[in-house]
Each structure stands twice: as C-alpha cells, then as structure tokens.
Amino acid sequence: MKKFTFFISLAFLTVLFSSCEAPWQPVYNGENLDGWETFIGTPLTGFEELHEQAKPEEVFKVVDVEGEKLIHISGVVNGSLATVDTFANYHLELVFKWGDQVYTKRNSGLLYHSFGEFGEAIGTWMTNIECQLMHEKLGDTYLMNNTCCETEATKTDEGFQFSKGGELTQFGKDFNGPGIIKAVDAENPLGEWNTVELYSYGRTTVHVVNGQVTMVNTNTGINEDGQIKPLSSGKIQIQSEGGDLFVKSVRIKPIKEIPAEILQ
C-alpha cells in the first residue's frame, strides 16, 4: 500500500511540475526605462523642424496618468525604443493604446528578432521582423531589410493575407514582398487598450491581438546572397513613427513550445 501511494504521489508531482509555467518577467519595470535604449532616426515627412528639436528623453519617457506610470512615445519623429537584452523562445505581451496626437498617421510597430545597428533599417531601426501596431493594420507582418519568412497565405486584391491552410509562400523584399496582411481585424476602438502577444519558438512566430491569432510565420531567416540563414532571436524595439501612444506593460516569459491551440 505504501509503495502504491508513493507511485501515486510521484505521478502527481510529475504532472504538477511539468505543467508549471515559467513566471512572467517585466521588460518594462513600471517605473523607468532601465533596460532600454533609445535612438532618434529620420524626420517624418513634412515635420523636419520637429526632428531638429527632438530629444530622446522627450520622445520616449515615463509619465504619470491617473496614478499609473506609462511609457509615452510621442511619435514626433522616427525613433526606436529598444531592449538591451536579446530574447529567444518566449511569449511576450505588450499592452498599448493610441493617444490623441497624430502627425502623419497612427503608426508604430513591435519589432522582434532585431539585430545590428540603429539606422540600418529605413534609416532608423535595427534590422528586424515587425508585428505591425499601426492603426487598422494591427497584427500584420512587415519584413525589414533582408529578413524573410514562410507563411500560409492567400493572394487578395490588397495583397497577400495570412490564411490558415493557404499556400505556403516565401516573403521578404527578394521574394513576394515584405508585407503580409493579418487574418482578422481584432483591434479595439481608438482610445481603448490593445493586448498584443508574440509567441516565438525556434523559427516560428505567432502574432495574437486581443486574444485572436492574426499571423503565423515560419522559417524566419535572413537572406544573404541567396542563402537563407536562420533567425530565431534578437532584441525587441517599439517604434516612434507618426502618432503618440501609451504603453501600459511589456512582459515576457520563456516557453518550451508554442501552445497547440495557438497554432490550430
């Protein structure tokens, strides 16, 4: 009986520990921008004077809004707020909303697998793969510089759109273009918070907007002289790019796989 009880207990502990997830860790600590670095890039078209006046500590800063400390990104210039650390095999969650100030358009992006120097991508950002935060395009993919991926997609009048079960298609500037349209519009109304989740494991990434899967990219890589080299890790960047926005939280945790229900 004791031996039987021991095996039951051992089995219970095995299930318990195997089901335990790693805890969330803050990427934004809720107080300041420790662990992040900033870069001011090119001016917004028609707003060159604002570029001359732009200071990193004003474009990216922590502000108090009704007792809550939020990251405010002014959008007055093209710029980057980037993590010091590099990440691989993770589940990241970003909570943001748009402000009222618009210069060119409400445009920003969650840039992942970022590497290299600031300014290498469109004169401002590190080379990266983008999960679009732009209003009305939230959850799209945009591949900067020589990054590439394969995605199940269907061709529409507007371009290629992620479609589960669609034809597996190579994307990137040297293939079928750098942009892939989200499968579904899951963006909340302006002024409301949006929760964007990014799953990254190996060379597969999944964009989730307010609980809905908008994109699954596979075989993420870098095209170098016709050879695709794997790309599965990098820094995280958040863009300043034409409209002001607030970030409530950025947190991350390691994963050993992407949940099956996310990939269905």
Side-chain angles (χ1 to χ4, degrees), residues 42-111:
T42 59
L44 302 173
T45 301
F47 293 90
E48 288 75 15
E49 185 176 339
L50 292 180
H51 177 266
E52 294 175 4
Q53 300 169 357
K55 298 179 180 179
E57 64 272 19
E58 292 299 322
V59 176
F60 305 100
K61 64 181 179 180
V62 175
V63 297
D64 191 298
V65 179
E66 298 179 347
E68 191 170 22
K69 291 186 176 180
L70 310 175
I71 299 174
H72 181 245
I73 300 176
S74 71
V76 300
V77 68
N78 290 321
S80 175
L81 177 65
T83 60
V84 173
D85 292 335
T86 293
F87 302 98
N89 297 330
Y90 59 85
H91 176 193
L92 180 142
E93 180 193 82
L94 166 77
V95 180
F96 86 99
K97 70 176 179 179
W98 290 106
D100 297 325
Q101 186 65 56
V102 181
Y103 300 96
T104 52
K105 63 180 69 174
R106 288 186 171 94
N107 194 5
S108 182
L110 174 63
L111 314 182

Side-chain angles (χ1 to χ4, degrees), residues 1 6 18 42 59-60 82 96 103 145-146 150 152 155 174 185 215-216 247-248 262:
M1 183 65 180
F6 170 77
S18 64
T42 59
V59 176
F60 305 100
F96 86 99
Y103 300 96
N145 287 357
N146 60 337
E150 293 181 350
E152 294 180 345
K155 194 168 185 179
D174 298 316
D185 183 4
M215 187 74 57
V216 179
V247 175
K248 179 185 288 190
I262 296 294

Side-chain angles (χ1 to χ4, degrees), residues 98 105-108 132-138 187:
W98 290 106
K105 63 180 69 174
R106 288 186 171 94
N107 194 5
S108 182
Q132 276 279 14
L133 301 183
M134 186 193 300
H135 176 48
E136 298 182 334
K137 293 184 179 293
L138 181 57
E187 184 175 2

Side-chain angles (χ1 to χ4, degrees), residues 13-42:
L13 289 172
T14 301
V15 171
L16 177 65
F17 285 114
S18 64
S19 63
C20 286
E21 292 186 353
W24 288 104
Q25 298 294 328
V27 182
Y28 164 50
N29 63 20
E31 294 289 335
N32 53 51
L33 295 180
D34 288 354
W36 297 81
E37 53 187 343
T38 59
F39 181 78
I40 300 299
T42 59

Side-chain angles (χ1 to χ4, degrees), residues 164-235:
K164 192 64 179 175
E167 183 177 354
L168 189 63
T169 306
Q170 185 101 52
F171 291 98
K173 68 180 181 64
D174 298 316
F175 302 103
N176 288 287
I180 313 166
I181 301 168
K182 61 189 179 299
V184 59
D185 183 4
E187 184 175 2
N188 286 331
L190 289 174
E192 295 185 11
W193 294 103
N194 290 287
T195 299
V196 178
E197 296 172 80
L198 171 65
Y199 289 87
S200 175
Y201 187 78
R203 296 175 66 191
T204 297
T205 61
V206 183
H207 305 174
V208 181
V209 176
N210 296 319
Q212 297 191 57
V213 175
T214 64
M215 187 74 57
V216 179
N217 297 320
T218 61
N219 293 323
T220 54
I222 311 163
N223 181 22
E224 294 187 352
D225 300 321
Q227 298 294 316
I228 307 299
K229 296 184 177 180
L231 179 62
S232 58
S233 65
K235 297 183 177 184

